[in-house]
Amino acid sequence: MAKNRPAPIIHTERLLALVPYISAHQGIAIADLAKAFDVTTSQMSADLTTLWMCGLPGYTALELMDLSFESGFVTIRNAPTLKSPRTLNVEEVISLLLGLDLIKESLADNSQIAESISRLSKRLSEKAGVSANFRAHDPVSSTVRAEIENALSKQQTLEMTYHSLYSDSFTERRITPLELRVEAGIEYLFAYCHNAMAFRIFRLDRIQTLKVSTEKAVTIETDTLKNAGEVSAHISFASRARLMKERFGLDDAPLDVKVQVASFSRQWIIRSIFASAGSARLVEPVELGDEITEKAQLILDRYLAH
Amino acid sequence: MSRKSERLVNLTIALLATRRYLTKNEIFRTIEGYEGNDESKERMFERDKDDLRSLGIEIEVGGFDPIFNDEAGYRIKPENYALDLGEISGSDIALLSLAASAWNGQALNAIAHSALLKLKSIGIDSDIDSIPTLAPRMASASSELVNVVEAITTKSAITFEYMAQDLSQQKRTIHPYALASRDGHWYFAGLDVDKNAIRTFRLDRVQGEIVLGKKMDVFVIPTGFDLFSHLDETVSQKIATVDVRKDKAFALRKQALSIIDKGEWDQISIKYSDQTTFLDSLLWHLDDVLVIEPLELRDSIIDVLRTMVVVHGKK
């Protein structure tokens, strides 16, 4: 599986895939076919012209495939040799195995479907001679993600039970989803929270339950989105750079460097400094630094008394 | 470009349709596109065979007929060429399509898309209504993921630069056994050739390219090797006793082996392996947790807290 295969090879692969696809979708529009194969309409027309010349040796009308597409809709006849799709290669099998493993958990409640998934995985692994060395785990329930995507497209408001890691508590909230974002492997939902009457960012993996609210969605002015309660801080780092880099989402390697970190939560900053176990020092704002000292002293006293 | 692909398609059709092996001469005589002198036809054919094989098409060589000639013949067996998933339902097709769609915009998107096209070409309609509405999404990964997949399937060694804890880079050579995503990250595990021990790596900590060794089949994957259980195994060696405030520290409670009610507090026991990492997660919970045992963990926490008080200054 070379990453950069020569153009004629990619082209041949597409031509071979086209015949069974058209056979299964007789009368498909050229534009739809182009979309399915992720090429332009003119490229698809060129492909079809090439295919039109292909067939069994002899290359007379009897041996050539009977391909018609002048009307803008494609039909194929007399192509029995290539009619069946090609067998899945090992990489394709692995992509499907990982995909099946990913959805398995979300479907665990449905035993019939869970059984189908196991059966399909087993059959695919055996066919391709792949062992069970490929696993995928979705930290986010794909039902939750589907609910949010649905709410986003319909502009619905949702009732949510959320576990806040910063305040370490469960809350019931009414939210209007605005945007899904992925940062450093973590999926976030940017939403308007009707309880806080402010914009909030939620981690998808902390959403416990979600359902569509019966109340009508409200329109939210997007120009008030900016700087929704952002706290910024100066932090300096001493060691354990990889962890610091990943925790604070920094691009450059910081070692004894002051950096500016913006966060929507003071709690997050305080907890992150603590969890950095002495490798990070908050320089500014000063009152946040005092809060950290106080908290550290409080915990320390408790340990010494215990 | 289209002349070459046209010839390759015609060659595939001819080799698939034939019930006996076709000799080179028959191929040159009957299949369109083989031109020039014998030598250049020969070269074209050799390249074409390699190209079809690179697409995963198996070309069989055989049919040496002693009576007529000694020449080798070629054919593609339809059973090797065609997709055969056995008995398959519309609901199965829907599940497989959903599995492929999890890669939308992610590392193996192109591969999953080509699998999806094949599934859609079987001629069985996907029965979407038979499965729940889901939106699965694979964890993002760099394009290097493809190289790890290839190394595992071809049993080739891989070499790459890896970012260590202190941000220094180390060159590692690994025989990769398994690949898994967890908590939004991709991990792969295998034998570290220099250390002669099993190691786990996080893909986004690999710096630059993952280079595949030229030789295939250089190792054997131990049967039953599972990265998830391997991660879990190395993650559970010591046990700590920790007091946690009621209704707090849910992340720790989730991993607790046991929980004892002590009134305002609960006492949990919890497994951990790497003290540094565990210490971080305990400190994250601020004054909602108090470590009782082991003593060394308590002492480290006290050390950290003293340092924090010093660096952040007394009021």
Side-chain angles (χ1 to χ4, degrees), chain A residues 11 25 36 55 84-87 92 94-95 123 127 133 135 137 142 145 167-168 240 242 246 253 271 275 282 293-294 303, chain B residues 5 10 55 81 83-85 87 103 113-114 118 135 163 167 179-181 205 225 248-249 280 284 291 298 312-313 315:
Chain A
H11 192 216
H25 300 83
S84 165
R86 288 176 52 210
T87 191
E92 289 166 345
I94 288 166
S95 76
R123 209 185 288 175
K127 282 246 181 272
N133 291 317
R135 301 291 307 274
H137 173 262
S142 42
R145 201 186 284 108
S167 66
D168 198 5
R240 299 173 66 203
R242 184 180 76 186
E246 287 171 357
R271 285 182 192 268
L282 186 116
T293 314
E294 232 168 86
Y303 270 101
Chain B
S5 29
N10 281 329
L55 283 175
Y81 178 88
L83 176 62
D84 176 19
L85 290 175
E87 207 165 298
W103 289 101
H113 181 242
S114 110
K118 289 176 181 175
M163 181 167 70
L167 283 185
L179 173 76
S181 81
R205 289 176 182 156
F225 186 88
K248 288 286 172 187
D280 291 356
W284 171 270
V291 177
R298 264 181 79 93
H312 286 95
K315 269 190 159 181

Short mmCIF file of all heavy atoms in Angstrom, two decimals, chain A residues 11 25 36 55 84-87 92 94-95 123 127 133 135 137 142 145 167-168 240 242 246 253 271 275 282 293-294 303, chain B residues 5 10 55 81 83-85 87 103 113-114 118 135 163 167 179-181 205 225 248-249 280 284 291 298 312-313 315:
data_model
loop_
_atom_site.label_atom_id
_atom_site.label_comp_id
_atom_site.label_asym_id
_atom_site.label_seq_id
_atom_site.Cartn_x
_atom_site.Cartn_y
_atom_site.Cartn_z
N HIS A 11 -6.10 4.90 -11.71
CA HIS A 11 -7.13 4.95 -12.75
C HIS A 11 -7.68 3.56 -13.03
O HIS A 11 -8.90 3.35 -13.11
CB HIS A 11 -6.53 5.58 -14.01
CG HIS A 11 -7.55 5.95 -15.03
ND1 HIS A 11 -7.33 5.83 -16.38
CD2 HIS A 11 -8.82 6.40 -14.90
CE1 HIS A 11 -8.42 6.20 -17.04
NE2 HIS A 11 -9.33 6.56 -16.16
N HIS A 25 -26.10 -0.19 -9.84
CA HIS A 25 -26.85 1.08 -9.84
C HIS A 25 -27.22 1.47 -11.25
O HIS A 25 -26.90 2.58 -11.70
CB HIS A 25 -26.03 2.20 -9.18
CG HIS A 25 -25.65 1.95 -7.76
ND1 HIS A 25 -24.56 1.21 -7.40
CD2 HIS A 25 -26.23 2.33 -6.61
CE1 HIS A 25 -24.47 1.14 -6.08
NE2 HIS A 25 -25.47 1.82 -5.57
N ALA A 36 -19.86 9.71 -6.13
CA ALA A 36 -19.58 8.47 -5.40
C ALA A 36 -18.10 8.09 -5.48
O ALA A 36 -17.52 7.59 -4.54
CB ALA A 36 -20.44 7.33 -5.94
N GLY A 55 -13.09 -4.70 -23.20
CA GLY A 55 -13.91 -5.91 -23.30
C GLY A 55 -13.03 -7.12 -23.51
O GLY A 55 -11.83 -7.10 -23.23
N SER A 84 -18.77 -8.63 -10.67
CA SER A 84 -18.65 -8.75 -9.22
C SER A 84 -17.59 -7.79 -8.69
O SER A 84 -16.54 -7.62 -9.32
CB SER A 84 -18.27 -10.19 -8.88
OG SER A 84 -17.83 -10.24 -7.55
N PRO A 85 -17.85 -7.11 -7.56
CA PRO A 85 -16.79 -6.23 -7.01
C PRO A 85 -15.57 -7.04 -6.63
O PRO A 85 -15.68 -8.22 -6.31
CB PRO A 85 -17.45 -5.61 -5.78
CG PRO A 85 -18.60 -6.48 -5.45
CD PRO A 85 -19.06 -7.09 -6.73
N ARG A 86 -14.41 -6.39 -6.68
CA ARG A 86 -13.17 -7.09 -6.32
C ARG A 86 -13.14 -7.39 -4.84
O ARG A 86 -13.77 -6.72 -4.03
CB ARG A 86 -11.96 -6.22 -6.69
CG ARG A 86 -11.71 -6.13 -8.18
CD ARG A 86 -10.58 -5.18 -8.44
NE ARG A 86 -9.45 -5.57 -7.61
CZ ARG A 86 -8.54 -4.72 -7.15
NH1 ARG A 86 -8.64 -3.44 -7.43
NH2 ARG A 86 -7.54 -5.14 -6.41
N THR A 87 -12.40 -8.42 -4.51
CA THR A 87 -12.29 -8.80 -3.10
C THR A 87 -11.64 -7.67 -2.29
O THR A 87 -10.88 -6.87 -2.84
CB THR A 87 -11.50 -10.13 -2.99
OG1 THR A 87 -11.63 -10.60 -1.67
CG2 THR A 87 -10.04 -9.96 -3.35
N GLU A 92 -8.30 -2.59 3.46
CA GLU A 92 -9.74 -2.29 3.51
C GLU A 92 -10.40 -3.09 4.62
O GLU A 92 -11.25 -2.57 5.35
CB GLU A 92 -10.38 -2.60 2.15
CG GLU A 92 -9.98 -1.62 1.06
CD GLU A 92 -10.33 -2.08 -0.34
OE1 GLU A 92 -10.63 -3.28 -0.54
OE2 GLU A 92 -10.27 -1.25 -1.25
N ILE A 94 -8.99 -4.10 7.34
CA ILE A 94 -8.61 -3.51 8.63
C ILE A 94 -9.41 -2.25 8.92
O ILE A 94 -9.87 -2.04 10.05
CB ILE A 94 -7.08 -3.25 8.66
CG1 ILE A 94 -6.36 -4.59 8.76
CG2 ILE A 94 -6.69 -2.34 9.82
CD1 ILE A 94 -4.90 -4.55 8.46
N SER A 95 -9.64 -1.43 7.89
CA SER A 95 -10.43 -0.21 8.12
C SER A 95 -11.84 -0.58 8.59
O SER A 95 -12.40 0.06 9.47
CB SER A 95 -10.45 0.68 6.87
OG SER A 95 -11.32 0.16 5.89
N ARG A 123 -15.73 -13.13 10.12
CA ARG A 123 -15.66 -13.53 8.72
C ARG A 123 -14.61 -12.72 7.96
O ARG A 123 -13.83 -13.26 7.18
CB ARG A 123 -17.04 -13.33 8.08
CG ARG A 123 -17.30 -14.28 6.94
CD ARG A 123 -18.62 -13.97 6.27
NE ARG A 123 -19.78 -14.33 7.06
CZ ARG A 123 -21.03 -14.04 6.66
NH1 ARG A 123 -21.23 -13.39 5.53
NH2 ARG A 123 -22.06 -14.38 7.39
N LYS A 127 -11.14 -14.14 6.24
CA LYS A 127 -10.93 -13.97 4.79
C LYS A 127 -9.58 -13.32 4.50
O LYS A 127 -8.89 -13.70 3.59
CB LYS A 127 -12.03 -13.08 4.21
CG LYS A 127 -13.34 -13.81 4.01
CD LYS A 127 -13.67 -13.91 2.52
CE LYS A 127 -14.99 -14.61 2.29
NZ LYS A 127 -14.86 -16.06 2.19
N ASN A 133 -5.65 -7.93 16.08
CA ASN A 133 -4.69 -6.96 16.61
C ASN A 133 -5.07 -5.53 16.33
O ASN A 133 -4.26 -4.62 16.45
CB ASN A 133 -3.30 -7.24 16.06
CG ASN A 133 -2.75 -8.52 16.63
OD1 ASN A 133 -2.89 -8.76 17.82
ND2 ASN A 133 -2.18 -9.35 15.80
N ARG A 135 -7.87 -2.67 17.32
CA ARG A 135 -8.98 -2.35 18.21
C ARG A 135 -9.22 -0.85 18.18
O ARG A 135 -8.30 -0.06 18.01
CB ARG A 135 -8.63 -2.75 19.66
CG ARG A 135 -8.31 -4.22 19.86
CD ARG A 135 -9.54 -5.10 19.68
NE ARG A 135 -10.63 -4.66 20.51
CZ ARG A 135 -10.78 -5.05 21.79
NH1 ARG A 135 -9.91 -5.84 22.37
NH2 ARG A 135 -11.83 -4.62 22.48
N HIS A 137 -11.60 2.16 20.23
CA HIS A 137 -12.52 2.46 21.31
C HIS A 137 -12.92 3.92 21.19
O HIS A 137 -12.07 4.80 21.04
CB HIS A 137 -11.85 2.18 22.65
CG HIS A 137 -12.68 2.61 23.80
ND1 HIS A 137 -12.47 3.80 24.44
CD2 HIS A 137 -13.72 2.02 24.41
CE1 HIS A 137 -13.36 3.92 25.41
NE2 HIS A 137 -14.13 2.86 25.41
N SER A 142 -21.50 7.04 20.46
CA SER A 142 -21.85 7.55 19.13
C SER A 142 -23.33 7.87 19.03
O SER A 142 -23.76 8.53 18.09
CB SER A 142 -21.40 6.62 18.00
OG SER A 142 -21.62 5.29 18.30
N ARG A 145 -23.17 11.54 19.94
CA ARG A 145 -22.69 12.33 18.82
C ARG A 145 -23.79 12.49 17.76
O ARG A 145 -23.98 13.57 17.21
CB ARG A 145 -21.43 11.71 18.21
CG ARG A 145 -20.62 12.69 17.41
CD ARG A 145 -19.46 12.04 16.70
NE ARG A 145 -18.34 11.72 17.57
CZ ARG A 145 -18.01 10.49 17.92
NH1 ARG A 145 -18.74 9.46 17.52
NH2 ARG A 145 -16.98 10.27 18.69
N SER A 167 -15.42 21.21 37.99
CA SER A 167 -16.06 21.40 39.29
C SER A 167 -16.33 20.04 39.93
O SER A 167 -16.77 19.96 41.07
CB SER A 167 -17.36 22.17 39.13
OG SER A 167 -18.28 21.40 38.41
N ASP A 168 -16.04 18.95 39.18
CA ASP A 168 -16.22 17.59 39.66
C ASP A 168 -17.63 17.36 40.19
O ASP A 168 -17.82 16.97 41.33
CB ASP A 168 -15.18 17.25 40.73
CG ASP A 168 -15.05 15.73 40.92
OD1 ASP A 168 -15.70 14.99 40.15
OD2 ASP A 168 -14.31 15.32 41.82
N ARG A 240 9.50 18.06 32.93
CA ARG A 240 8.47 17.16 32.40
C ARG A 240 7.77 17.81 31.22
O ARG A 240 6.55 17.93 31.16
CB ARG A 240 7.49 16.78 33.50
CG ARG A 240 8.18 16.06 34.63
CD ARG A 240 7.25 15.84 35.79
NE ARG A 240 6.17 14.94 35.42
CZ ARG A 240 5.02 14.92 36.06
NH1 ARG A 240 4.77 15.74 37.04
NH2 ARG A 240 4.11 14.06 35.71
N ARG A 242 7.14 17.11 28.04
CA ARG A 242 6.18 16.52 27.12
C ARG A 242 4.76 16.63 27.68
O ARG A 242 3.83 17.02 27.00
CB ARG A 242 6.51 15.04 26.85
CG ARG A 242 5.58 14.42 25.82
CD ARG A 242 5.90 12.98 25.54
NE ARG A 242 5.44 12.12 26.61
CZ ARG A 242 5.69 10.83 26.67
NH1 ARG A 242 6.42 10.24 25.74
NH2 ARG A 242 5.23 10.11 27.66
N GLU A 246 1.59 18.77 26.22
CA GLU A 246 0.31 18.17 25.85
C GLU A 246 -0.83 18.74 26.69
O GLU A 246 -1.92 19.00 26.20
CB GLU A 246 0.38 16.65 25.98
CG GLU A 246 1.21 16.04 24.87
CD GLU A 246 1.52 14.56 25.04
OE1 GLU A 246 1.14 13.97 26.07
OE2 GLU A 246 2.16 14.01 24.14
N ALA A 253 8.27 23.51 22.39
CA ALA A 253 8.70 22.85 23.60
C ALA A 253 9.02 23.90 24.66
O ALA A 253 9.93 24.71 24.48
CB ALA A 253 9.94 22.02 23.31
N ARG A 271 -6.46 23.42 38.71
CA ARG A 271 -6.27 21.97 38.76
C ARG A 271 -5.09 21.53 37.90
O ARG A 271 -4.34 20.63 38.26
CB ARG A 271 -7.54 21.25 38.30
CG ARG A 271 -8.66 21.28 39.35
CD ARG A 271 -9.84 20.50 38.84
NE ARG A 271 -11.05 20.69 39.63
CZ ARG A 271 -11.40 19.90 40.65
NH1 ARG A 271 -10.62 18.90 41.02
NH2 ARG A 271 -12.52 20.12 41.31
N ALA A 275 -1.96 19.40 39.06
CA ALA A 275 -1.68 18.11 38.43
C ALA A 275 -0.32 18.11 37.73
O ALA A 275 0.17 17.07 37.32
CB ALA A 275 -2.78 17.76 37.44
N LEU A 282 2.39 29.14 38.23
CA LEU A 282 1.55 30.19 37.71
C LEU A 282 2.16 31.53 38.09
O LEU A 282 2.42 31.79 39.27
CB LEU A 282 0.14 30.08 38.29
CG LEU A 282 -0.83 31.08 37.68
CD1 LEU A 282 -1.91 30.35 36.92
CD2 LEU A 282 -1.43 31.97 38.73
N THR A 293 -1.49 28.87 46.36
CA THR A 293 -0.70 28.74 47.59
C THR A 293 -1.59 28.32 48.76
O THR A 293 -1.27 27.41 49.51
CB THR A 293 -0.04 30.10 47.96
OG1 THR A 293 0.53 30.64 46.79
CG2 THR A 293 1.01 29.92 49.03
N GLU A 294 -2.72 29.03 48.88
CA GLU A 294 -3.65 28.77 49.97
C GLU A 294 -4.13 27.33 49.98
O GLU A 294 -4.14 26.66 50.99
CB GLU A 294 -4.85 29.69 49.78
CG GLU A 294 -5.23 30.51 50.98
CD GLU A 294 -6.24 31.57 50.58
OE1 GLU A 294 -7.43 31.24 50.56
OE2 GLU A 294 -5.81 32.70 50.24
N TYR A 303 -2.52 16.73 55.48
CA TYR A 303 -1.64 15.56 55.44
C TYR A 303 -0.81 15.48 56.70
O TYR A 303 -0.62 14.42 57.29
CB TYR A 303 -0.72 15.61 54.20
CG TYR A 303 -1.33 14.93 52.99
CD1 TYR A 303 -1.92 15.65 51.98
CD2 TYR A 303 -1.32 13.53 52.90
CE1 TYR A 303 -2.49 15.02 50.88
CE2 TYR A 303 -1.90 12.89 51.82
CZ TYR A 303 -2.48 13.64 50.80
OH TYR A 303 -3.04 13.00 49.74
N SER B 5 -4.22 2.28 -18.71
CA SER B 5 -5.25 1.68 -17.86
C SER B 5 -6.23 0.86 -18.69
O SER B 5 -6.72 -0.16 -18.24
CB SER B 5 -5.97 2.74 -17.03
OG SER B 5 -5.99 3.98 -17.66
N ASN B 10 -8.29 -4.49 -19.99
CA ASN B 10 -8.48 -5.56 -20.97
C ASN B 10 -7.73 -6.83 -20.57
O ASN B 10 -8.23 -7.93 -20.75
CB ASN B 10 -8.02 -5.09 -22.35
CG ASN B 10 -9.07 -4.20 -23.01
OD1 ASN B 10 -10.27 -4.39 -22.77
ND2 ASN B 10 -8.65 -3.25 -23.81
N LEU B 55 -2.26 -3.99 -7.24
CA LEU B 55 -3.66 -3.71 -6.93
C LEU B 55 -4.30 -4.85 -6.16
O LEU B 55 -5.49 -4.82 -5.85
CB LEU B 55 -4.46 -3.49 -8.24
CG LEU B 55 -4.28 -2.16 -8.93
CD1 LEU B 55 -5.02 -2.14 -10.25
CD2 LEU B 55 -4.78 -1.03 -8.05
N TYR B 81 -10.54 -13.29 -7.39
CA TYR B 81 -10.76 -11.90 -7.79
C TYR B 81 -11.99 -11.30 -7.12
O TYR B 81 -11.96 -10.17 -6.62
CB TYR B 81 -10.93 -11.84 -9.32
CG TYR B 81 -11.21 -10.45 -9.86
CD1 TYR B 81 -10.16 -9.60 -10.20
CD2 TYR B 81 -12.52 -9.99 -10.02
CE1 TYR B 81 -10.42 -8.33 -10.70
CE2 TYR B 81 -12.78 -8.72 -10.51
CZ TYR B 81 -11.72 -7.89 -10.85
OH TYR B 81 -11.97 -6.63 -11.32
N LEU B 83 -15.29 -10.47 -4.76
CA LEU B 83 -15.63 -10.34 -3.34
C LEU B 83 -16.64 -11.42 -2.97
O LEU B 83 -17.65 -11.58 -3.65
CB LEU B 83 -16.23 -8.95 -3.10
CG LEU B 83 -16.75 -8.64 -1.68
CD1 LEU B 83 -15.62 -8.70 -0.69
CD2 LEU B 83 -17.39 -7.26 -1.65
N ASP B 84 -16.34 -12.15 -1.91
CA ASP B 84 -17.28 -13.16 -1.46
C ASP B 84 -17.38 -13.07 0.06
O ASP B 84 -16.51 -13.54 0.78
CB ASP B 84 -16.79 -14.55 -1.89
CG ASP B 84 -17.70 -15.65 -1.35
OD1 ASP B 84 -18.85 -15.33 -0.95
OD2 ASP B 84 -17.25 -16.81 -1.30
N LEU B 85 -18.41 -12.43 0.53
CA LEU B 85 -18.60 -12.30 1.98
C LEU B 85 -19.58 -13.34 2.50
O LEU B 85 -20.07 -13.24 3.61
CB LEU B 85 -19.09 -10.89 2.32
CG LEU B 85 -18.07 -9.76 2.14
CD1 LEU B 85 -18.71 -8.42 2.41
CD2 LEU B 85 -16.87 -9.95 3.06
N GLU B 87 -23.06 -15.39 2.88
CA GLU B 87 -24.43 -14.90 2.94
C GLU B 87 -24.45 -13.59 3.71
O GLU B 87 -23.92 -13.50 4.82
CB GLU B 87 -25.30 -15.93 3.63
CG GLU B 87 -26.75 -15.85 3.20
CD GLU B 87 -27.51 -17.09 3.62
OE1 GLU B 87 -27.16 -18.19 3.16
OE2 GLU B 87 -28.42 -16.92 4.45
N TRP B 103 -14.58 6.58 9.31
CA TRP B 103 -13.30 7.13 8.88
C TRP B 103 -13.42 8.45 8.13
O TRP B 103 -12.41 8.99 7.68
CB TRP B 103 -12.58 6.11 7.99
CG TRP B 103 -12.06 4.94 8.73
CD1 TRP B 103 -12.62 3.70 8.80
CD2 TRP B 103 -10.87 4.87 9.53
NE1 TRP B 103 -11.86 2.88 9.59
CE2 TRP B 103 -10.78 3.56 10.04
CE3 TRP B 103 -9.87 5.80 9.85
CZ2 TRP B 103 -9.74 3.16 10.87
CZ3 TRP B 103 -8.83 5.40 10.68
CH2 TRP B 103 -8.77 4.09 11.17
N HIS B 113 -13.18 4.30 2.01
CA HIS B 113 -14.08 4.70 0.93
C HIS B 113 -14.07 3.67 -0.19
O HIS B 113 -15.12 3.31 -0.74
CB HIS B 113 -13.67 6.08 0.39
CG HIS B 113 -14.56 6.57 -0.72
ND1 HIS B 113 -14.08 6.82 -1.98
CD2 HIS B 113 -15.87 6.83 -0.75
CE1 HIS B 113 -15.07 7.22 -2.75
NE2 HIS B 113 -16.18 7.23 -2.03
N SER B 114 -12.90 3.14 -0.51
CA SER B 114 -12.84 2.16 -1.59
C SER B 114 -13.51 0.85 -1.13
O SER B 114 -14.15 0.16 -1.93
CB SER B 114 -11.41 1.98 -2.08
OG SER B 114 -10.87 0.76 -1.74
N LYS B 118 -17.02 -1.00 -2.87
CA LYS B 118 -17.16 -2.43 -3.16
C LYS B 118 -18.42 -2.99 -2.51
O LYS B 118 -19.14 -3.77 -3.11
CB LYS B 118 -15.93 -3.18 -2.66
CG LYS B 118 -14.70 -2.92 -3.50
CD LYS B 118 -13.47 -3.60 -2.93
CE LYS B 118 -12.24 -3.27 -3.79
NZ LYS B 118 -11.02 -3.84 -3.19
N ALA B 135 -23.40 8.02 15.06
CA ALA B 135 -22.42 8.82 14.33
C ALA B 135 -21.04 8.47 14.86
O ALA B 135 -20.45 9.22 15.62
CB ALA B 135 -22.72 10.31 14.51
N MET B 163 9.25 11.05 20.81
CA MET B 163 9.45 12.11 21.80
C MET B 163 9.36 11.53 23.21
O MET B 163 8.32 11.02 23.62
CB MET B 163 8.39 13.19 21.60
CG MET B 163 8.52 14.35 22.54
SD MET B 163 7.49 15.73 22.00
CE MET B 163 5.87 15.08 22.34
N LEU B 167 11.17 15.52 26.29
CA LEU B 167 11.14 16.11 24.95
C LEU B 167 12.35 15.77 24.10
O LEU B 167 12.46 16.24 22.98
CB LEU B 167 10.98 17.64 24.98
CG LEU B 167 9.62 18.21 25.26
CD1 LEU B 167 9.67 19.73 25.10
CD2 LEU B 167 8.56 17.68 24.32
N LEU B 179 -2.49 -2.43 16.99
CA LEU B 179 -2.83 -1.02 16.85
C LEU B 179 -4.19 -0.81 17.50
O LEU B 179 -5.09 -1.61 17.31
CB LEU B 179 -2.89 -0.69 15.36
CG LEU B 179 -3.38 0.69 14.96
CD1 LEU B 179 -2.29 1.72 15.21
CD2 LEU B 179 -3.75 0.71 13.48
N ALA B 180 -4.32 0.25 18.27
CA ALA B 180 -5.61 0.49 18.91
C ALA B 180 -5.79 1.97 19.18
O ALA B 180 -4.82 2.71 19.37
CB ALA B 180 -5.71 -0.28 20.22
N SER B 181 -7.05 2.41 19.18
CA SER B 181 -7.32 3.78 19.59
C SER B 181 -8.05 3.74 20.91
O SER B 181 -8.87 2.85 21.16
CB SER B 181 -8.15 4.52 18.54
OG SER B 181 -9.51 4.20 18.68
N ARG B 205 3.03 11.08 19.31
CA ARG B 205 4.35 11.42 19.87
C ARG B 205 5.47 10.99 18.94
O ARG B 205 6.64 11.21 19.22
CB ARG B 205 4.53 10.74 21.23
CG ARG B 205 3.65 11.39 22.28
CD ARG B 205 3.75 10.68 23.60
NE ARG B 205 2.85 11.30 24.57
CZ ARG B 205 2.37 10.67 25.63
NH1 ARG B 205 2.70 9.42 25.87
NH2 ARG B 205 1.56 11.30 26.45
N PHE B 225 -2.13 -11.64 21.22
CA PHE B 225 -1.61 -10.36 21.69
C PHE B 225 -2.68 -9.28 21.55
O PHE B 225 -3.23 -9.09 20.47
CB PHE B 225 -0.37 -9.97 20.89
CG PHE B 225 0.31 -8.72 21.40
CD1 PHE B 225 1.27 -8.81 22.38
CD2 PHE B 225 -0.05 -7.47 20.91
CE1 PHE B 225 1.89 -7.67 22.86
CE2 PHE B 225 0.56 -6.32 21.40
CZ PHE B 225 1.53 -6.43 22.37
N LYS B 248 -17.63 13.51 45.15
CA LYS B 248 -16.52 14.17 44.45
C LYS B 248 -15.62 13.10 43.84
O LYS B 248 -15.75 11.92 44.16
CB LYS B 248 -15.72 15.04 45.42
CG LYS B 248 -16.47 16.31 45.83
CD LYS B 248 -16.48 17.30 44.68
CE LYS B 248 -17.39 18.49 44.97
NZ LYS B 248 -17.53 19.34 43.79
N ALA B 249 -14.67 13.56 43.00
CA ALA B 249 -13.66 12.69 42.39
C ALA B 249 -14.27 11.50 41.65
O ALA B 249 -13.90 10.35 41.86
CB ALA B 249 -12.65 12.22 43.44
N ASP B 280 -0.29 12.88 39.53
CA ASP B 280 -0.92 13.99 38.81
C ASP B 280 -2.43 13.95 38.95
O ASP B 280 -3.07 14.97 39.19
CB ASP B 280 -0.57 13.95 37.32
CG ASP B 280 0.90 14.27 37.06
OD1 ASP B 280 1.60 14.60 38.04
OD2 ASP B 280 1.33 14.18 35.91
N TRP B 284 -4.94 16.61 40.84
CA TRP B 284 -6.01 17.26 40.09
C TRP B 284 -7.25 17.45 40.97
O TRP B 284 -7.97 18.42 40.85
CB TRP B 284 -6.34 16.44 38.84
CG TRP B 284 -7.55 16.88 38.09
CD1 TRP B 284 -8.83 16.44 38.30
CD2 TRP B 284 -7.64 17.86 37.06
NE1 TRP B 284 -9.69 17.08 37.44
CE2 TRP B 284 -8.99 17.97 36.67
CE3 TRP B 284 -6.69 18.67 36.41
CZ2 TRP B 284 -9.43 18.83 35.68
CZ3 TRP B 284 -7.13 19.52 35.42
CH2 TRP B 284 -8.47 19.61 35.06
N VAL B 291 -4.57 10.78 50.45
CA VAL B 291 -3.95 9.46 50.31
C VAL B 291 -3.62 8.89 51.69
O VAL B 291 -2.98 9.56 52.50
CB VAL B 291 -2.68 9.54 49.45
CG1 VAL B 291 -2.00 8.18 49.35
CG2 VAL B 291 -3.00 10.07 48.06
N ARG B 298 2.17 9.16 49.69
CA ARG B 298 1.87 10.27 50.62
C ARG B 298 3.04 11.25 50.66
O ARG B 298 2.86 12.45 50.55
CB ARG B 298 1.67 9.71 52.03
CG ARG B 298 0.25 9.46 52.43
CD ARG B 298 0.24 8.93 53.85
NE ARG B 298 0.40 10.01 54.84
CZ ARG B 298 -0.62 10.64 55.41
NH1 ARG B 298 -1.85 10.29 55.10
NH2 ARG B 298 -0.42 11.60 56.27
N HIS B 312 4.95 29.39 44.69
CA HIS B 312 3.89 30.37 44.53
C HIS B 312 3.90 31.44 45.62
O HIS B 312 3.10 32.36 45.61
CB HIS B 312 2.52 29.70 44.45
CG HIS B 312 2.31 29.02 43.13
ND1 HIS B 312 2.58 27.70 42.94
CD2 HIS B 312 1.89 29.50 41.93
CE1 HIS B 312 2.33 27.39 41.68
NE2 HIS B 312 1.91 28.47 41.05
N GLY B 313 4.80 31.29 46.57
CA GLY B 313 5.02 32.33 47.55
C GLY B 313 3.97 32.38 48.63
O GLY B 313 2.80 32.07 48.41
N LYS B 315 1.67 34.25 51.43
CA LYS B 315 0.98 35.54 51.50
C LYS B 315 1.57 36.38 52.62
O LYS B 315 1.80 35.88 53.70
CB LYS B 315 -0.49 35.31 51.79
CG LYS B 315 -1.29 35.19 50.53
CD LYS B 315 -2.75 35.22 50.91
CE LYS B 315 -3.62 35.61 49.77
NZ LYS B 315 -5.02 35.65 50.15
#
